[in-house]
Amino acid sequence: MSAAAAPPLPPAILLMGPTASGKTAVAMDLSRRFPVELISVDSAQVFRDMDIGTAKPDAPTLAAFPHYLIDLISPQEAYSAARFRSDALAAMAEITARGRVPLLVGGTMLYFKALVEGLVDLPPADLVTRAAIDREAAARGWPALHAELAELDPLTAARLQPTDAQRIQRALEVWRLSGRRLSAIIASGEKAVPQYRFTSIGLVPSDRSVLHRRIAERFDAMLAAGLEGEVEDLRGKYALHAELPSMRCVGYRQVWEVQHGQAPRGELRDRGIYATRQLAKRQITWLGNTLRPQTFDCLCGDLQDRVTAHLGDLFV
């Protein structure tokens, strides 16, 4: 069959935005209007029993609007962009086979990038290696490990800040597990592009101060709903430590530090709000610099109608 006669690729919608931008409300509204099914793109909502601090949709909401890729693993486990991509593509195939459209919604921008652009074949995460790197960082500091990385893999080190703990750790982990530079692996890898026609929508605030107010209100609501008790329950149910991905999640990390005497309890609210604001800032940077979706002001009063109008042609 010639390229001209090839059938059109099935559609898929990507709905992305910073925390507290109203993604869930827009996704539910689209579910009422169009034949879509929801796939969560959230690296925190994959953890079971982590409900309050992840702003996970509650049981009635999930019953009315089922989501794929929520409550997949325990907080003792790790989840990767590669596993997300595999899980998401499997869910998308199921949805498409039913004649419906996948709607992927969330704020983990790396997952969106991995889905659309593909991934090179990197060694999987190794908790023993990561723990060893974390111990070194605690003793020497992340700038010292960044300097070590600069000798081993100067190209990767050059694009990282000396305090970018997560990415420095990953680059060193790849080196120690494979003996290969992360930059070399990325440069040599071919990425498989998924066979979908993506429509990307980004929710961004026209006024950051309003988003910051929303973030503060939401963190206050999490505290009032029992976030501290949730972390206590998790510690009682699972064998957790501070360097697990689950306990690195914004909100959980700040509560963990308070409960382990590493930060004053009186600072919990301010530290949690500040960390969430920094997360939102990074998410907005991803949207503008890397993912570049069609953007909509998440603060406008007719947001849902505007997004609906934008997507209307998909369902004609």
Side-chain angles (χ1 to χ4, degrees):
M1 182 179 290
S2 69
L9 296 176
I13 303 166
L14 309 180
L15 176 60
M16 55 191 79
T19 185
S21 60
K23 299 181 295 294
T24 299
V26 172
M28 290 190 298
D29 182 71
L30 293 175
S31 294
R32 296 184 188 99
R33 300 183 190 225
F34 299 122
V36 300
E37 295 187 33
L38 304 181
I39 301 174
S40 171
V41 186
D42 191 302
S43 60
Q45 292 184 359
V46 297
F47 296 112
R48 291 189 293 271
D49 298 319
M50 291 175 55
D51 302 329
I52 298 171
T54 63
K56 193 178 294 178
D58 59 22
T61 299
L62 289 176
F65 304 95
H67 288 55
Y68 285 85
L69 309 193
I70 282 181
D71 291 336
L72 298 182
I73 60 174
S74 87
Q76 295 174 203
E77 300 175 83
Y79 195 75
S80 66
R83 180 172 170 186
F84 164 79
R85 188 173 193 272
S86 175
D87 290 346
L89 287 172
M92 292 168 70
E94 290 181 21
I95 294 167
T96 300
R98 289 193 289 270
R100 299 173 69 82
V101 176
L103 170 56
L104 296 98
V105 54
T108 302
M109 304 305 172
L110 175 62
Y111 287 7
F112 281 115
K113 184 176 187 292
L115 175 66
V116 174
E117 297 183 8
L119 289 169
V120 295
D121 188 17
L122 295 175
D126 183 86
L127 293 181
V128 173
T129 302
R130 290 190 171 188
I133 295 170
D134 286 333
R135 287 194 296 271
E136 293 176 34
R140 300 165 52 201
W142 285 108
L145 293 188
H146 181 266
E148 177 183 329
L149 179 63
E151 303 222 355
L152 298 170
D153 185 353
L155 289 178
T156 297
R159 64 180 178 81
L160 302 181
Q161 295 296 320
T163 54
D164 192 344
Q166 183 175 356
R167 291 178 177 82
I168 294 169
Q169 181 195 62
R170 180 57 174 154
L172 288 172
E173 178 187 38
V174 168
W175 172 264
R176 294 182 187 186
L177 291 174
S178 68
R180 299 181 64 197
R181 297 183 182 93
L182 177 61
S183 59
I185 296 175
I186 292 173
S188 64
E190 293 187 2
K191 302 176 181 180
V193 178
Q195 297 301 297
Y196 285 88
R197 177 165 43 96
F198 289 109
T199 298
S200 298
I201 295 169
L203 306 184
V204 295
S206 56
D207 185 341
R208 294 276 185 102
S209 67
V210 177
L211 184 70
H212 292 168
R213 185 166 65 247
R214 285 187 181 182
I215 287 171
E217 291 170 352
R218 190 163 79 161
F219 195 73
D220 285 338
M222 289 176 178
L223 291 175
L227 177 59
E228 293 177 86
E230 182 172 79
V231 176
E232 289 179 0
D233 291 343
L234 291 167
R235 290 168 53 201
K237 185 173 182 178
Y238 300 101
L240 302 177
H241 59 80
E243 299 311 320
L244 284 169
S246 60
M247 292 300 105
R248 285 184 168 183
C249 293
V250 169
Y252 291 90
R253 187 176 193 89
Q254 287 70 42
V255 173
W256 178 282
E257 290 170 346
V258 166
Q259 292 183 349
H260 285 78
Q262 298 166 352
R265 192 189 180 297
E267 296 180 5
L268 173 57
R269 178 182 183 273
D270 288 345
R271 290 164 64 90
I273 291 171
Y274 176 78
T276 310
R277 286 173 58 170
Q278 292 300 108
L279 170 62
K281 181 180 179 181
R282 293 192 298 272
Q283 291 168 317
I284 292 169
T285 299
W286 266 92
L287 289 173
N289 294 349
T290 303
L291 298 171
R292 300 183 179 181
Q294 175 68 48
T295 59
F296 294 83
D297 179 11
C298 66
L299 306 180
C300 70
D302 59 348
L303 171 63
Q304 295 174 359
D305 290 337
R306 293 189 183 195
V307 173
T308 296
H310 179 69
L311 293 175
D313 290 345
L314 281 180
F315 301 96
V316 173

